[in-house]
Amino acid sequence: ETGVGKEVFVKALHEKSARKQYPLVAVNCAAIPSELVESELFGYEKGAFTGASAKGGIGLIRKANKGTLFLDEIGEMPVKAQARLLRVLQERKVTPLGSTESYPVDIKVISATNRSLKDDVEKGLFRQDLYYRINVIELKLPTLNDRRDDIPVLAEHFLAMISAEWQLEIPPSLTREASERLQRHDFAGNV
């Protein structure tokens, strides 16, 4: 679900990996207009399309080389781009739009979605071969409502942040009643 901390989790994984000295490139696939997904991900040569930069573009996949590529909301990726992504993952090479030259890439890919990709595969909305390629290890991050013990810890963390930002001499804290009330609250937006 939105707000469970997917990107925070991915950043922590990246920081504990052997790739931590290389970039973590996070891409919200739902935020990129469908007509720009391929140029943003795979890059493009100058003049590859109307409005293309005169310099061309390296693409987010090549920017993540030797590091981690986080594809958030991958279920929103257009099917045509899914086919190109599958090719990149299989061949470990990326070919920018308008180019015949391929560039090797060494990336760890982590993807996330709030949808059932398995259902999308059955409906023809997501490529089955890509689904099996990216679904090597599946983790489900529980909602905040499913981990209510974290609520007081998070509240204290946010209070400490506020205290530091406001440079308070006496840091605020939660009363027992406030903590219990927070734990009963329905956090639809999660963290």
Side-chain angles (χ1 to χ4, degrees), residues 71-142:
L71 299 172
D72 195 10
E73 303 303 344
I74 193 167
E76 303 296 326
M77 184 180 286
V79 176
K80 185 177 175 189
Q82 291 174 30
R84 287 196 67 171
L85 177 61
L86 178 64
R87 186 175 252 342
V88 168
L89 297 178
Q90 288 173 334
E91 297 180 2
R92 300 296 209 181
K93 293 180 184 174
V94 63
T95 305
L97 293 175
S99 178
T100 56
E101 188 173 350
S102 293
Y103 299 89
V105 287
D106 174 16
I107 53 175
K108 173 173 59 176
V109 176
I110 301 173
S111 57
T113 184
N114 61 4
R115 303 164 56 139
S116 168
L117 290 184
K118 201 169 214 168
D119 290 347
D120 286 354
V121 166
E122 290 174 14
K123 294 175 189 171
L125 301 173
F126 199 84
R127 292 182 61 104
Q128 183 177 31
D129 44 6
L130 179 59
Y131 172 75
Y132 288 114
R133 176 66 67 162
I134 63 173
N135 195 32
V136 177
I137 298 172
E138 186 175 328
L139 299 173
K140 180 173 169 72
L141 295 182

Side-chain angles (χ1 to χ4, degrees), residues 24-46:
L24 164 62
V25 177
V27 182
N28 183 335
C29 298
I32 303 172
S34 58
E35 62 274 5
L36 297 178
V37 169
E38 290 186 74
S39 61
E40 288 290 317
L41 285 176
F42 308 107
Y44 59 92
E45 292 295 313
K46 61 181 179 181

